[in-house]
Amino acid sequence: MKAFEWDIDANNHDVAASESLGNALIRGVVEFSSIPNLSDAKCKNYIVLEYTKMPASLIECGFMTNSDDLWALQNEDDDIGYGIGLEANF
C-alpha cells in the first residue's frame, strides 16, 4: 500500500495518549491486513483533531486512484475495521 497515514494534533490535551492510540491503531491494521507499517504516529495540525478532550488519531487508509490501495480497501475492509476496533480498546 502506497498511502497510509496516522496523525495526531499537538494541541490535543494529551499528546502522549493520542500517540499511543495512533500507534495501537497502526498495530491493529498491520496485524489484520496486508497494509505495511510505513511510519509511527506523528503530530500534525488538523482541525478535526484540535482541542479534543480525549485521545484522538486521524487514519487515512489510502487512495482509490492507487491500484494497491484500492484492492486493500475493497478486499480487506472488514479486516482493517476489525484491527482498528480491536486496538481502539487498548
Side-chain angles (χ1 to χ4, degrees):
M1 179 163 277
K2 303 287 188 253
F4 208 69
E5 207 165 279
W6 311 82
D7 301 305
I8 58 179
D9 190 274
N11 293 316
N12 185 286
H13 85 288
D14 192 343
V15 173
S18 292
E19 185 175 9
S20 180
L21 171 63
N23 287 319
L25 298 176
I26 291 169
R27 282 192 307 274
V29 171
V30 169
E31 183 177 344
F32 291 98
S33 72
S34 63
I35 299 171
N37 182 0
L38 301 178
S39 70
D40 290 334
K42 56 190 176 237
C43 287
K44 287 193 175 181
N45 293 321
Y46 289 112
I47 194 75
V48 297
L49 297 176
E50 272 191 55
Y51 307 107
T52 61
K53 297 182 193 267
M54 65 187 80
S57 180
L58 174 69
I59 303 170
E60 297 175 341
C61 296
F63 298 98
M64 294 177 65
T65 54
N66 178 294
S67 60
D68 292 336
D69 292 356
L70 182 59
W71 184 91
L73 294 169
Q74 290 176 325
N75 295 286
E76 297 183 333
D77 56 331
D78 289 340
D79 299 326
I80 293 168
Y82 180 78
I84 290 169
L86 185 68
E87 292 296 334
N89 293 306
F90 74 104

